[in-house]
Amino acid sequence: MKYFIFRNVTIEPFWGHLDAVFSGYEDISQIDETAERYVWFYLPPVADNVAIAEKIRYYADLLCVAVDKLSQEKMFILCTMRNVFSVQSIISDRMIDSAIQAYNSTLYDLAVSNRNIKVIDFAHFLDDFKQEELLDWRYYFISQMGLNPRMIGDFVLWWNVRIRAIEMKRKKCLILDFDNTLWGGILGEDGVDGIALGGDYPGNSFLLFQHLILELSNQGVILAVCSKNNMEDVLQLWKKHPDLVLKEEHFAAMRINWNNKADNIRELSQELNLGYDSFVFLDDSPSERELVKRLLPEVIVPDFPEQPYLLPAFFKTIAEQYFSGYALTDEDRYKTAQYKTNAQRTQVRQSFTNMDEYIRYLEIELTIAEVTDLSLTRAAQMTQKTNQFNLTTRRYTETDLCRKITTGSRIFTLSVHDRFGDSGTTGLCIVDIKGNLANIDSLLLSCRILGKDIEKAFLAYILKTLQSQGIEEVMAEYIPTEKNMQTKDFYEKVGFLPVNEENRYKLVLSTTIIKLSNNYKFKSI
């Protein structure tokens, strides 16, 4: 990924981990058009207060000109401004603060009106340092370096987390132990009234910890339980404890027993249909953590704080490092409910011996639509997160998808509803079109709707749509990964023929009759 970085001071060492080229100081006249992403990173100049304020206003105007010059098909990342050095001899003087506030407001306003623009709050990074640590004057005077080079390592880690958030590459599920993790004490020994939760320290630490985790759940993170406890004791806790925040309805799946925790996590992976690399596991016990680390190395297992007063800082680190996202979608908000209803479908499935009868019982409605401004974020999110049923595993941002649309591609989304509820937007197909030929760039479905042949119905509908619009031939590709082996023979199973190239397939639509299954109700928008 090639970056072009607009800057007003020397900051090259901070982006040494990227393939990046840099503008001249305060220069927007020469722009590398081969760059795939652009970054705007300006710091307040070091000068007298009046000159600083005037420069900051000039930088805002300069940015607006740069935005007009750049293609909206490429991502433009804007870093907010934060003062790293000023002399405030008049305490009531807010000249610089007001200029910075207006500058940052300009950034956010530009992001509202330009989908390709993303804003990163640089103040969040600087907040971890003392004011005197932000500049090394020796480097500033010698090379105009705008930040202390001692911060480079921390900056690289911080920047990578922010980029993963923009690309929506975050973990999916937080697995929680109970005793001495969500409350102080051991439930089976101390009883419902004896555990530390709420009230004075340390109970107030655990109470805040639960509130923070609940907020994470509301932001689309799936919660699961892996605890050595008696289920009867836990049920009494959920029923009787007045301060409990996280209750049964907040967990998508639970393993409350005395089994090996690594085995329980394996079962959770199967029940939720999520890979081990989707999980973060929190447990106060070093031995339990070590077991999971050794047997399931893909699971993230952070060291748990030894003292309850450290829980807020611990949560902040976990949330930002593993669960950061740039924006929420409707699917994020209702994810726990969707996984719980999926468990109900799985239970009902066991009572049917015939797949067609099961599918008809579910009364599945498939809504297939071309991507819109409202669904674009979710579409990009699915390309970043879906691994198992994903024929090519190509990753796209919103900006990437917009660029595809402008070059003639069609992007179809799939939403699924049945008698148990709405699974949300859970399928995506990207079709590149040239004349009367089409190529399926990406075809993917969320793991929670698999097992009902919905993928075949989705593709059949798209092929029929393409056929009706004069497309004569469709090419497709399978790119193997460690996680998508289940899709290896998918195209052959739905009628595509292999071509000479490895894992390439072709379907001649002009001589093919496409039939839609009557097991589903199809709806288009």
Side-chain angles (χ1 to χ4, degrees):
M1 182 65 65
K2 185 177 181 181
Y3 287 78
F4 182 82
I5 300 175
F6 297 93
R7 49 68 182 272
N8 65 333
V9 290
T10 301
I11 40 95
E12 288 91 331
F14 285 79
W15 274 277
H17 63 296
L18 298 179
D19 178 12
V21 292
F22 298 82
S23 73
Y25 298 148
E26 301 180 12
D27 181 14
I28 64 170
S29 62
Q30 301 294 324
I31 300 174
D32 187 348
E33 295 184 358
T34 66
E36 298 166 270
R37 291 179 181 173
Y38 297 96
V39 176
W40 184 271
F41 188 86
Y42 272 49
L43 294 171
V46 176
D48 63 87
N49 287 1
V50 173
I52 292 174
E54 289 178 352
K55 270 288 189 180
I56 292 171
R57 288 190 286 269
Y58 168 68
Y59 293 158
D61 293 339
L62 202 63
L63 170 60
C64 292
V65 174
V67 169
D68 289 338
K69 293 178 68 172
L70 294 177
S71 169
Q72 291 194 347
E73 296 178 3
K74 294 184 179 181
M75 185 182 295
F76 196 4
I77 301 170
L78 312 181
C79 295
T80 62
M81 184 178 288
R82 160 80 178 272
N83 207 2
V84 295
F85 177 78
S86 65
V87 178
Q88 191 176 25
S89 54
I90 304 301
I91 295 175
S92 62
D93 183 5
R94 296 195 67 255
M95 184 183 305
I96 296 177
D97 291 339
S98 297
I100 291 177
Q101 184 177 4
Y103 174 92
N104 290 336
S105 294
T106 299
L107 269 60
Y108 286 107
D109 289 343
L110 287 169
V112 170
S113 55
N114 297 271
R115 182 177 286 277
N116 66 313
I117 291 179
K118 308 295 181 184
V119 179
I120 293 179
D121 185 6
F122 183 58
H124 181 274
F125 170 71
L126 296 182
D127 284 343
D128 288 336
F129 298 90
K130 297 178 181 178
Q131 184 69 32
E132 59 269 22
E133 295 176 318
L134 302 184
L135 271 174
D136 186 315
W137 290 105
R138 175 182 53 174
Y139 287 98
Y140 177 81
F141 287 119
I142 292 173
S143 61
Q144 286 190 268
M145 186 169 288
L147 293 169
N148 191 333
R150 293 185 182 89
M151 299 190 296
I152 290 174
D154 294 304
F155 177 83
V156 169
L157 294 175
W158 176 85
W159 176 263
N160 289 340
V161 168
R162 293 313 180 269
I163 294 301
R164 287 200 299 271
I166 289 175
E167 295 175 345
M168 294 168 284
K169 294 178 179 178
R170 66 174 184 168
K171 300 298 181 181
K172 298 179 181 179
C173 181
L174 180 63
I175 303 177
L176 298 161
D177 175 43
F178 275 167
D179 294 330
N180 289 312
T181 301
L182 291 188
W183 54 75
I186 299 174
L187 179 61
E189 297 178 3
D190 300 319
V192 172
D193 298 327
I195 63 171
L197 181 62
D200 297 329
Y201 183 82
N204 51 7
S205 301
F206 290 104
L207 181 62
L208 176 58
F209 191 47
Q210 289 201 22
H211 276 292
L212 294 172
I213 292 173
L214 179 59
E215 182 178 7
L216 203 60
S217 174
N218 293 335
Q219 295 171 358
V221 176
I222 302 164
L223 301 184
V225 175
C226 182
S227 173
K228 289 184 176 179
N229 253 301
N230 293 319
M231 190 64 192
E232 295 78 9
D233 295 335
V234 176
L235 290 173
Q236 287 297 310
L237 176 75
W238 282 333
K239 182 179 179 180
K240 294 184 177 181
H241 202 289
D243 294 320
L244 193 68
V245 175
L246 296 175
K247 300 182 180 180
E248 184 175 7
E249 63 266 24
H250 297 122
F251 298 103
M254 294 178 285
R255 289 299 180 273
I256 300 173
N257 53 42
W258 298 95
N259 298 339
N260 177 302
K261 289 197 174 182
D263 289 341
N264 277 339
I265 292 176
R266 290 189 181 100
E267 292 182 6
L268 289 171
S269 174
Q270 293 177 351
E271 179 176 340
L272 295 171
N273 205 3
L274 294 174
Y276 298 134
D277 61 348
S278 299
F279 295 133
V280 175
F281 173 54
L282 304 187
D283 195 308
D284 69 292
S285 169
S287 60
E288 299 285 9
R289 296 198 304 267
E290 187 58 35
L291 176 70
V292 174
K293 286 180 184 179
R294 181 167 54 85
L295 297 180
L296 302 175
E298 290 182 271
V299 176
I300 297 295
V301 187
D303 291 337
F304 200 78
E306 294 184 1
Q307 301 298 332
Y309 60 78
L310 297 173
L311 284 171
F314 171 71
F315 174 85
K316 181 178 185 294
T317 300
I318 296 302
E320 293 181 355
Q321 186 168 356
Y322 301 114
F323 297 108
S324 288
Y326 189 79
L328 287 180
T329 64
D330 288 339
E331 280 71 23
D332 290 327
R333 295 181 178 92
Y334 305 121
K335 187 152 290 181
T336 295
Q338 290 169 348
Y339 272 88
K340 293 185 80 169
T341 55
N342 204 43
Q344 294 177 317
R345 295 184 188 96
T346 302
Q347 288 181 336
V348 170
R349 172 70 182 91
Q350 297 172 1
S351 63
F352 286 86
T353 57
N354 182 280
M355 174 61 76
D356 286 338
E357 290 180 2
Y358 170 60
I359 292 175
R360 285 192 290 270
Y361 168 81
L362 290 176
E363 300 176 353
I364 298 173
E365 180 179 88
L366 306 180
T367 300
I368 300 169
E370 294 208 44
V371 74
T372 66
D373 286 343
L374 294 177
S375 60
L376 191 65
T377 299
R378 173 58 179 165
Q381 184 184 65
M382 284 190 288
T383 71
Q384 298 288 349
K385 299 172 66 174
T386 307
N387 293 307
Q388 296 181 52
F389 193 95
N390 190 335
L391 274 296
T392 54
T393 322
R394 295 187 174 107
R395 310 301 192 187
Y396 293 116
T397 64
E398 296 172 55
T399 308
D400 296 329
L401 295 183
C402 287
R403 184 162 57 248
K404 275 194 161 290
I405 293 171
T406 60
T407 56
S409 298
R410 298 183 68 181
I411 302 177
F412 299 89
T413 61
L414 169 69
S415 299
V416 180
H417 184 276
D418 64 16
R419 69 191 305 156
F420 287 98
D422 196 344
S423 295
T425 303
T426 44
L428 184 74
C429 184
I430 303 173
V431 184
D432 300 330
I433 297 175
K434 290 185 178 180
N436 59 1
L437 304 178
N439 178 74
I440 299 177
D441 172 277
S442 299
L443 176 63
L444 56 93
L445 270 74
S446 171
C447 57
R448 66 177 181 270
I449 63 168
L450 296 179
K452 298 180 275 294
D453 283 342
I454 291 174
E455 59 274 15
K456 296 178 182 178
F458 180 37
L459 180 58
Y461 188 95
I462 292 171
L463 293 175
K464 195 171 184 67
T465 300
L466 296 174
Q467 189 179 54
S468 68
Q469 296 182 356
I471 300 298
E472 297 180 358
E473 186 175 289
V474 179
M475 299 296 296
E477 182 180 12
Y478 164 67
I479 300 177
T481 68
E482 293 181 2
K483 298 178 182 179
N484 73 353
M485 292 302 293
Q486 63 173 294
T487 66
K488 181 179 180 181
D489 302 320
F490 174 75
Y491 282 121
E492 291 183 70
K493 290 179 180 178
V494 295
F496 281 69
L497 297 176
V499 295
N500 292 334
E501 303 171 58
E502 187 177 3
N503 296 325
R504 292 284 294 173
Y505 301 88
K506 179 175 69 175
L507 182 67
V508 181
L509 281 181
S510 57
T511 60
T512 303
I513 298 175
I514 305 295
K515 294 183 178 180
L516 300 181
S517 171
N518 58 11
N519 286 340
Y520 314 92
K521 179 180 179 182
F522 292 89
K523 180 181 177 182
S524 62
I525 299 177

